[in-house]
Amino acid sequence: MATALKFAAPELDETTIAGVVDVLRSGQLTSGPWVQAFERELSNFCAGRPVRTLTSATAAIEVALQLCGVGPGDEVITGAQSFFTVLNMIVKVGAKPVFVDCDLVTRNIDLAQVEAAITPATRAIIPTHYPGALLDMDALFALARRQKLRVIEDAALVIGSRWKGWNIGAFGDLVSFSFHPNKNITAIEGGALVLNDESEARQVESLRFHGITYLPDRTRDVAYPGGKFNLPDVNARIGLAQLARLPQFLAKRRALVDRYFSSFVTDPECVLPPKPNPDDGYSWNMFCILLPLDRLTIDRKQFRDALAARGIATGMSYEALHLSTLGRKMGGHEGVHSNAERIARETVTLPLHTAMSEADVDHVCTVVAEIIAGGKAQ
Ligand SMILES: *Cc1c(COP(=O)(O)O)cnc(C)c1O
């Protein structure tokens, strides 16, 4: 039997591990030179726009909302098909999440529905980017400019994706990245926020560190209850090394995804992600399928358990935000966002990480095909 296949597997080289030991011996453990170096490299990656690191993408989204002045009485439009971070942070700053549906295949938010959801209370749009195909970014920013709305891109999954030759983060408004171990690059935990100018960067430095500002005599003041989201240097040291390897990681992930597209055949058919375009630089963090559950006798849990029994770990991305208990408290209910709800019911994330081989992908495809064939309704 093939060895067990993990769902994700971050790749840390020996130089990075030795580098972490050097940071630990240096005595500068947090808010030090490695954080500055990592932020400089992230800024280079984002065409020179200012970037500030935080302890997670979740912190980055919270701080981004605070930076935009979003609070009680404000509405923020976001996709019903996303990770809990987005719902949580909108509610945490006191604003109201307004959900819209997504495309079934790309999972990107539907801009026509965004436009229809705008009210005088709307302050911002938070689109979540998915592996495979980006939202029409020109149309998104044209809409945001026309309606005078801020855009906070949830780019946790897509560092390395490009739009018309530009890296995500190199243009736009506010952009949030994650360096959780399951993402394209890791800092153990960590996140970053791409900003428009130095004034925003200074505000983020305050918001991520207790809300502290300095008076002319260098005594400290607090006017806003800031968080404690500054990244330790150990994490920045790892993130910096990982960023240098991003092109190599992405090439490997793309090759594995090409293999998924050529090897994946089931009866009945699954809905696959959008086919990659070789020029687009799209980053592939996950390979998510939709199961044809209405033509199967097994349910999703049985499908995932059968894969786990054959040594293949899977994930689920994502539940529908408006149907979570918190989403329902904010007015969410069934039957309004049918694509997000169908994805929430049918989605399964298959293993995809740089430690895999093309033979591993073939193995996953074979096992998936067997389990689906075995569970086919007559
Ligand atoms: C992982 C993820 C987040 C949260 O990132 P953290 O760094 O763990 O806070 C947010 N949004 C999406 C789409 C994600 O995949």
Side-chain angles (χ1 to χ4, degrees), residues 2 10 40 53 71 78 94 137 143 150 180 193 220 239-240 242 295 327 341 353 377:
R40 255 194 321 272
T53 53
T78 193
M137 300 299 281
L143 169 65
R150 300 297 301 258
H180 177 275
L193 189 59
R220 290 170 299 180
L240 187 65
Q242 289 265 303
R295 299 172 64 197
E341 291 171 24
H353 53 76

Side-chain angles (χ1 to χ4, degrees), residues 56-59 82-83 85 128 154 156-157 178-180 183 189-190 318:
S56 66
T58 303
S82 182
F83 186 57
T85 288
T128 293
D154 173 6
L157 294 169
S178 170
F179 309 122
H180 177 275
K183 314 300 182 182
E189 296 281 0
Y318 299 102

Side-chain angles (χ1 to χ4, degrees), residues 29 54 58 63 104 138 142 159 185 199 221 240 243 253 288 299 324 345 370:
L29 300 183
L54 298 104
T58 303
V63 163
L104 189 69
D138 297 332
I159 190 164
I185 58 171
S199 147
D221 186 28
L240 187 65
L243 184 58
R253 285 176 174 278
C288 304
D299 64 18
S324 65
R345 279 193 306 275
E370 282 170 20

Side-chain angles (χ1 to χ4, degrees), residues 160-241:
S161 278
R162 286 197 296 268
W163 174 256
K164 296 186 175 172
W166 293 88
N167 283 332
I168 285 295
F171 63 97
D173 188 359
L174 303 174
V175 185
S176 158
F177 293 120
S178 170
F179 309 122
H180 177 275
N182 287 2
K183 314 300 182 182
N184 293 340
I185 58 171
T186 188
I188 309 178
E189 296 281 0
L193 189 59
V194 190
L195 303 150
N196 292 294
D197 54 38
E198 289 305 320
S199 147
E200 286 187 350
R202 275 195 298 278
Q203 290 177 69
V204 170
E205 286 168 7
S206 172
L207 288 167
R208 75 179 173 185
F209 196 73
H210 313 283
I212 286 174
T213 51
Y214 291 88
L215 300 175
D217 68 353
R218 294 304 287 168
T219 59
R220 290 170 299 180
D221 186 28
V222 160
Y224 183 91
K228 180 65 169 64
F229 304 133
N230 55 309
L231 193 71
D233 275 54
V234 165
N235 303 71
R237 173 69 183 82
I238 296 170
L240 187 65

Side-chain angles (χ1 to χ4, degrees), residues 57-321:
T58 303
I61 301 244
E62 180 175 353
V63 163
L65 286 162
Q66 292 168 339
L67 188 65
C68 296
V70 173
D74 296 335
E75 294 178 0
V76 178
I77 300 175
T78 193
Q81 178 51 231
S82 182
F83 186 57
F84 298 120
T85 288
V86 179
L87 164 64
N88 287 349
M89 293 308 107
I90 294 169
V91 175
K92 199 171 169 194
V93 300
K96 181 180 170 214
V98 175
F99 295 108
V100 296
D101 207 1
C102 63
D103 182 88
L104 189 69
V105 174
T106 66
R107 307 184 178 200
N108 292 322
I109 49 169
D110 181 333
L111 281 180
Q113 290 191 32
V114 170
E115 182 123 48
I118 293 170
T119 74
T122 309
R123 293 285 168 271
I125 309 168
I126 307 186
T128 293
H129 295 309
Y130 291 86
L134 292 168
L135 179 67
D136 182 336
M137 300 299 281
D138 297 332
L140 168 69
F141 286 106
L143 169 65
R145 264 192 308 275
R146 199 163 62 240
Q147 300 282 352
K148 298 191 168 37
L149 299 177
R150 300 297 301 258
V151 175
I152 303 168
E153 290 170 58
D154 173 6
L157 294 169
V158 300
I159 190 164
S161 278
R162 286 197 296 268
W163 174 256
K164 296 186 175 172
W166 293 88
N167 283 332
I168 285 295
F171 63 97
D173 188 359
L174 303 174
V175 185
S176 158
F177 293 120
S178 170
F179 309 122
H180 177 275
N182 287 2
K183 314 300 182 182
N184 293 340
I185 58 171
T186 188
I188 309 178
E189 296 281 0
L193 189 59
V194 190
L195 303 150
N196 292 294
D197 54 38
E198 289 305 320
S199 147
E200 286 187 350
R202 275 195 298 278
Q203 290 177 69
V204 170
E205 286 168 7
S206 172
L207 288 167
R208 75 179 173 185
F209 196 73
H210 313 283
I212 286 174
T213 51
Y214 291 88
L215 300 175
D217 68 353
R218 294 304 287 168
T219 59
R220 290 170 299 180
D221 186 28
V222 160
Y224 183 91
K228 180 65 169 64
F229 304 133
N230 55 309
L231 193 71
D233 275 54
V234 165
N235 303 71
R237 173 69 183 82
I238 296 170
L240 187 65
Q242 289 265 303
L243 184 58
R245 295 186 66 191
L246 178 63
Q248 171 199 339
F249 290 156
L250 292 179
K252 180 77 196 275
R253 285 176 174 278
R254 274 198 291 271
L256 296 170
V257 164
D258 287 343
R259 190 69 170 207
Y260 264 119
F261 276 107
S262 59
S263 299
F264 195 97
V265 184
T266 62
D267 175 27
E269 283 183 357
C270 297
V271 176
L272 298 188
K275 270 251 163 79
N277 168 349
D279 308 322
D280 57 21
Y282 293 155
S283 58
W284 283 91
N285 182 261
M286 308 190 292
F287 194 81
C288 304
I289 59 168
L290 298 184
L291 294 173
L293 288 179
D294 52 355
R295 299 172 64 197
L296 297 179
T297 55
I298 54 171
D299 64 18
R300 177 169 57 184
K301 181 169 188 309
Q302 289 168 317
F303 173 82
R304 294 185 68 202
D305 288 348
L307 275 167
R310 306 271 306 261
I312 299 171
T314 58
M316 242 192 336
S317 304
Y318 299 102
E319 294 81 358
L321 294 184

